[in-house]
Amino acid sequence: MKGFGENNNYKKIKKRSDNPSIEEIINYAINFQLKGNFEEANKCYKYCIDNGIKDPRVFCNYGLVLLKLGDLKNAKLMMEKSIKISPNDTLSYNNLSGILQELGKYNEAEVILNKSLEIDKKNPITYSNLGTVLIYQGKLDRAESILKKSVSLNPNEGNSYLSLGVVMRLLGKTKEAVEYTNKAIDIQPNNDAAYCNLGDLFRIS
């Protein structure tokens, strides 16, 4: 089987099955990815694509692996292919928006997230991601509205409360910023960014 290379992980796969199916290889890739072994996941996903697999999971997950490996150009390409195969998959739209943000393309990220909302108007994660993009664009009033929509759909969307804290701080509303940031910490007590933001707020208050 080409594409894996003669390494220990490949030998383990051969022991499990002399001729693993594509579905098995996808599962190997997902397991490697979940364990943070992105190099091996990369080989598995590439093998699938080189063999003509058109499964949107492969392109979506491969895009995330490439993002972790710092290959933003091809990460973007893989996510776009995932959307082409499965145009109603809002997860791929959200992932693509994250890649576009890493590339500094906030206007494009906003367009992608608005397309995602056309597909599913009740996805709190999409609203949360859109709020973040709007903050980077300086569209604070709209960001506030969008983020409040996110938490109305899911009161446990910690990232949205964190972003609302950022919006309030930028608008000079320190009291509200502290309240939203504390709410984020209540939901995600291990969120380092929330504690960092709270420290900044106490310094300026």
Side-chain angles (χ1 to χ4, degrees):
M1 183 191 302
K2 67 177 182 178
F4 289 101
E6 288 295 330
N7 52 49
N8 289 333
N9 288 316
Y10 174 60
K11 291 174 184 177
K12 289 178 183 178
I13 291 171
K14 290 209 300 186
K15 286 180 181 178
R16 292 171 189 158
S17 173
D18 290 335
N19 187 26
S21 67
I22 290 296
E23 189 64 31
E24 287 179 302
I25 295 170
I26 293 173
N27 287 333
Y28 297 147
I30 291 171
N31 286 331
F32 285 136
Q33 187 174 356
L34 290 173
K35 292 176 181 177
N37 192 341
F38 301 113
E39 292 290 349
E40 293 304 319
N42 175 45
K43 294 174 185 177
C44 292
Y45 288 129
K46 186 175 186 302
Y47 174 85
C48 292
I49 291 172
D50 288 347
N51 282 271
I53 301 304
K54 301 297 183 183
D55 189 323
R57 293 175 301 165
V58 171
F59 289 97
C60 183
N61 288 337
Y62 191 23
L64 293 175
V65 166
L66 291 171
L67 175 62
K68 288 290 187 180
L69 293 174
D71 188 352
L72 297 178
K73 179 180 178 181
N74 283 312
K76 176 176 177 287
L77 179 63
M78 291 300 109
M79 214 60 71
E80 288 170 342
K81 288 184 176 180
S82 176
I83 290 171
K84 185 175 181 180
I85 296 168
S86 184
N88 292 321
D89 179 15
T90 58
L91 176 61
S92 292
Y93 284 94
N94 277 279
N95 288 336
L96 177 56
S97 78
I99 294 168
L100 290 169
Q101 290 179 64
E102 290 290 331
L103 290 167
K105 298 182 177 182
Y106 298 108
N107 290 338
E108 291 183 36
E110 181 183 0
V111 170
I112 288 296
L113 290 168
N114 281 323
K115 287 182 179 178
S116 181
L117 288 175
E118 291 175 7
I119 298 166
D120 182 1
K121 292 181 172 61
K122 295 184 177 181
N123 188 329
I125 295 175
T126 304
Y127 285 103
S128 183
N129 290 334
L130 179 57
T132 300
V133 168
L134 292 169
I135 291 171
Y136 279 111
Q137 293 175 303
K139 301 176 182 178
L140 300 181
D141 290 336
R142 183 157 180 252
E144 179 183 356
S145 175
I146 289 292
L147 291 165
K148 286 181 176 179
K149 177 68 173 179
S150 174
V151 297
S152 73
L153 291 168
N154 180 8
N156 292 315
E157 188 59 50
N159 287 331
S160 294
Y161 286 108
L162 179 58
S163 294
L164 276 167
V166 173
V167 171
M168 294 299 107
R169 176 169 60 82
L170 293 172
L171 290 173
K173 300 178 180 180
T174 305
K175 180 180 177 181
E176 291 92 334
V178 170
E179 290 174 355
Y180 281 125
T181 305
N182 277 325
K183 181 66 174 178
I185 291 172
D186 288 341
I187 297 169
Q188 299 176 334
N190 295 320
N191 191 324
D192 292 339
Y195 289 103
C196 182
N197 286 355
L198 192 61
D200 289 342
L201 287 166
F202 286 142
R203 279 193 289 272
I204 66 176
S205 62

